[in-house]
Amino acid sequence: LLPCAGGMVLVSSLFMTRSLDYGAAVAGIWLVFLALPSTLPEQTGLSFILIYVLAVTGFGTLMNRSYIVGSLRLMKARDDFRLLAETDALTGLENRRRFIARLDEVVAEGRPSLLLLLLDADHFKRINDRWGHSVGDQALVRIAEAIRPGDEITASARLGGEEFAVLLESAEAKDQITVLQGFADRLALSTLPVSLSVGAVWLPGETSSASALVAADVQLYAAKEAGRHRIFFQGQMICETLAAQALAG
């Protein structure tokens, strides 16, 4: 039974994800097997037993340590891959795929207090054409900094190019206009290098993420048609989004 106990000690090293748990399991295994009368032949010396126990335990500990380190590395790699798959590389915001998945969840839950905003940088092509794509990238990063989650902003994403999306918390339907005006003030304080056109929809009125995005896009198009740098909601202008236009102009 002594080799059997050693085998159990080694095999258990691959099932314990904490060294303390493995140590407790090893101690239990040895105590049980060494306490059995038939475990050891009469001619077996105490020194041999001690060496055998220490050797097997030491080797098992190394195996357990290697297993834990490998598992932690694997989990970190998985988390890093997930982050890369769900994050826009330039801005650090959620990417389109992750945001739409989040939007699907929100619509399915029927949360009654969220506004969906689509934002588009006005005349952004002028920045790239006049100042180069590196300056354009810096402008996109500045926009991302202004709309990162916090306070009333539940989530934000770069959907692609110069288009962004935001989920905005509004406690009650009657607070929608106030919340949107507060969002415009937030943009103004950010001193962005470009102005933004914004289309907003009240999510409880939408049945799917696709219909919500289409409805918000309609409002965004209306904002651009009305002269840009403003927020449109329910077919009317709520307020302007004041921001510097030095680069775009």
Side-chain angles (χ1 to χ4, degrees):
L1 292 180
L2 191 60
C4 181
M8 291 182 65
V9 168
L10 296 179
V11 170
S12 64
S13 68
L14 303 178
F15 292 92
M16 301 296 176
T17 57
R18 294 197 313 166
S19 298
L20 185 61
D21 293 340
Y22 177 64
V26 168
I29 291 171
W30 286 127
L31 287 174
V32 170
F33 274 84
L34 295 179
L36 295 175
S38 58
T39 300
L40 304 174
E42 293 182 1
Q43 67 273 21
T44 303
L46 182 61
S47 59
F48 172 79
I49 298 172
L50 182 60
I51 293 173
Y52 182 81
V53 169
L54 291 177
V56 172
T57 302
F59 188 65
T61 301
L62 290 176
M63 289 176 60
N64 178 251
R65 179 62 180 169
S66 298
Y67 172 73
I68 292 174
V69 170
S71 297
L72 291 175
R73 287 177 178 172
L74 181 62
M75 288 187 288
K76 185 179 185 303
R78 182 188 61 193
D79 292 341
D80 290 345
F81 179 77
R82 180 181 299 167
L83 183 64
L84 288 173
E86 297 179 347
T87 304
D88 177 66
L90 176 64
T91 63
L93 298 179
E94 293 181 357
N95 60 18
R96 184 182 191 92
R97 176 183 177 183
R98 175 66 188 103
F99 186 81
I100 291 179
R102 182 190 292 277
L103 191 57
D104 286 334
E105 296 170 1
V106 167
V107 172
E109 292 171 359
R111 290 179 59 180
S113 59
L114 289 176
L115 289 158
L116 169 64
L117 279 59
L118 290 187
L119 299 76
D120 192 82
D122 297 326
H123 302 298
F124 188 75
K125 187 175 183 298
R126 296 181 185 176
I127 295 179
N128 285 333
D129 291 345
R130 182 175 180 182
W131 303 98
H133 288 278
S134 61
V135 175
D137 287 348
Q138 293 175 22
L140 294 176
V141 171
R142 292 273 298 278
I143 295 172
E145 290 295 334
I147 62 172
R148 289 198 187 281
D151 297 329
E152 74 280 1
I153 296 180
T154 300
S156 54
R158 182 187 177 202
L159 300 184
E162 64 272 22
E163 188 175 28
F164 296 81
V166 168
L167 286 179
L168 202 59
E169 193 79 30
S170 178
E172 299 179 13
K174 64 181 181 181
D175 297 328
Q176 295 167 353
I177 305 302
T178 302
V179 170
L180 290 172
Q181 290 172 337
F183 182 74
D185 292 341
R186 178 186 181 124
L187 296 180
L189 291 173
S190 300
T191 60
L192 298 175
V194 291
S195 63
L196 297 172
S197 295
V198 182
V201 295
W202 183 237
L203 277 183
E206 303 301 326
T207 57
S208 69
S209 60
S211 67
L213 288 168
V214 169
D217 197 53
V218 168
Q219 299 300 315
L220 175 60
Y221 182 78
K224 286 188 171 293
E225 284 291 296
R228 295 184 171 83
H229 61 83
R230 60 199 67 206
I231 296 177
F232 254 64
F233 177 60
Q234 295 180 338
Q236 61 180 342
M237 188 187 83
I238 303 304
C239 56
E240 293 190 350
T241 56
L242 303 176
Q245 300 183 65
L247 291 178

